[in-house]
Amino acid sequence: MTKGISLHIGLNSIDPKVYGGNGALKGCENDANSMSNIAKYLKYNETKVLLTESATKEAVINEIKRSAEALDEGDIFFLSYSGHGGQIKDLNNDEDDSYDETWCLYNGQLLDDELYSLWQSFKADVRIILLSDSCHSGTISKAENYNLPKGRNSTDSITYRFLPREFTQGEYEINRDKYSNISKPNKNNLQCTVKLISGCQDNQLSSDGDVNGLFTEKLLKVWNNGTFNRDYRRFHKEIVRLMPPDQTPMYSNIGKVNDYFERQKPFNL
C-alpha cells in the first residue's frame, strides 16, 4: 500500500545571533500548518511540522533523511518550506549566476547542493513534491543541473521573504569551513523524482502576507479544499494566473521521469 510522509517547515523569524537580525515575517508558520492540513486531509501516514526555533538545519536534515529511509518505490514525500530564501557565493562552480540558492533555517542556511544530496538518499521511484514559498526559489531543487530556465527579473518591492545579502553572506563567512566541504552534485545519481513548485524564480522575490505568503495563499485558493481535480501542470498554471507579473512560480521536474506522477492530482498518495 502506498505510503505518504510529509514535512512542513515555517519560520517567522531566524536566530539574530547567527544572521545579525531576526528577519521577522508573518505568514510562514501559517503556511506550514496549511500544508500540513492538506497532508492530513489526504490521509498521509505521517505529517510533521517544524516551526521557527524548531526548524534548525539539523532537524530538517534529520527529518528528510528519516523519510528517505522509510519510503519505498511508489511512495510519496511531501515537503514544504516557507521562510527566507537566500543566495550565497557558489563554492563548487556549478551555478551559471555564481550563487547557490538557500533556505534560511533558524540556525543556518541549507544550500540547494545539500538538498540535492538529500534527494540522492531516496530510493528509486519515490515521488517528492516540493513547495518552496521563499525568495530565489526557482531552482532550489537544483534544477539548473538539468538546464532548466531560471526565469525573469523582479523589480517591485513589497514585503518580501528576502534577507539582505549581508545577513546570508555573513552567516556563510562564519561557517565557511562547513560549506567548503559540500561537494558538487552528480545528477546521474538521482533515482527518485523531485517535482518543484516554488513561489518565484531565482531572480525574483516572494511576498509575505499577514495570514499566508502570497504564493501559498493563491495555491490554497486553487486547491480549494481538495476540489481541484486536474494534474500538477494545470495546478501550477492556475496559481500563476492569480499571481502578479513580478512573482512567477516555478515548475520543474528533476531525476527519474515519472509520467504517472505528472498526471496525478496534486499531493495525492
Side-chain angles (χ1 to χ4, degrees), residues 26-139:
K26 294 181 179 179
C28 301
E29 291 191 356
N30 289 337
D31 289 353
N33 287 322
S34 295
M35 295 303 102
S36 173
N37 288 338
I38 290 177
K40 291 175 182 176
Y41 173 82
L42 293 172
K43 302 189 185 307
Y44 274 59
N45 300 80
E46 298 179 36
T47 298
K48 184 156 189 175
V49 176
L50 295 175
L51 302 179
T52 307
E53 292 185 9
S54 67
T56 63
K57 185 170 181 176
E58 296 79 12
V60 169
I61 289 173
N62 287 340
E63 286 299 323
I64 295 175
K65 285 182 175 179
R66 187 183 67 81
S67 299
E69 181 64 28
L71 294 171
D72 296 312
E73 177 181 348
D75 291 341
I76 187 167
F77 181 48
F78 176 13
L79 173 62
S80 70
Y81 172 79
S82 288
H84 285 295
Q87 289 181 311
I88 64 171
K89 291 178 182 177
D90 176 26
L91 293 174
N92 50 33
N93 300 313
D94 67 344
E95 297 272 359
D96 291 339
D97 61 1
S98 301
Y99 285 96
D100 282 310
E101 283 67 50
T102 74
W103 284 350
C104 299
L105 299 173
Y106 190 74
N107 64 342
Q109 296 174 86
L110 185 63
L111 277 63
D112 52 7
D113 290 333
E114 294 176 287
L115 281 169
Y116 195 91
S117 294
L118 290 166
W119 310 148
Q120 292 175 328
S121 65
F122 283 83
K123 301 180 183 74
D125 297 311
V126 171
R127 294 164 292 144
I128 299 175
I129 173 64
L130 172 63
L131 305 179
S132 188
D133 194 345
S134 55
C135 296
H136 310 302
S137 53
T139 62

Side-chain angles (χ1 to χ4, degrees), residues 148-161:
L148 297 176
K150 284 180 174 289
R152 60 194 187 205
N153 290 324
S154 167
T155 54
D156 291 346
S157 128
I158 309 172
T159 303
Y160 287 119
R161 294 178 171 182

Side-chain angles (χ1 to χ4, degrees), residues 14 19-23 109 163-172:
I14 49 179
Y19 291 94
N22 69 4
Q109 296 174 86
L163 276 182
R165 182 83 33 94
E166 59 265 28
F167 281 38
T168 54
Q169 199 63 33
E171 189 275 337
Y172 155 78

Side-chain angles (χ1 to χ4, degrees), residues 172-186:
Y172 155 78
E173 294 293 346
I174 292 171
N175 295 289
R176 179 187 285 270
D177 290 344
K178 293 179 183 178
Y179 290 132
S180 66
N181 292 324
I182 297 171
S183 60
K184 185 175 182 177
N186 180 351

Side-chain angles (χ1 to χ4, degrees), residues 2 4-6 35 38-39 42 44 74-79 126-131 193-198 215 219 222-223 228-241 249-253 258-269:
T2 302
I5 296 177
S6 74
M35 295 303 102
I38 290 177
L42 293 172
Y44 274 59
D75 291 341
I76 187 167
F77 181 48
F78 176 13
L79 173 62
V126 171
R127 294 164 292 144
I128 299 175
I129 173 64
L130 172 63
L131 305 179
T193 305
V194 183
K195 184 184 301 295
L196 170 68
I197 306 178
S198 71
F215 166 69
L219 182 152
V222 174
W223 168 251
F228 182 84
N229 61 4
R230 303 288 295 276
D231 62 17
Y232 279 100
R233 285 193 181 273
R234 176 56 62 179
F235 187 59
H236 167 254
K237 287 178 180 178
E238 290 300 313
I239 296 168
V240 171
R241 188 176 60 82
M250 181 67 170
Y251 182 93
S252 67
N253 289 290
N258 189 328
D259 293 333
Y260 170 72
F261 191 15
E262 190 77 351
R263 295 192 305 268
Q264 281 193 292
K265 177 179 172 179
F267 317 117
N268 266 16
L269 293 173

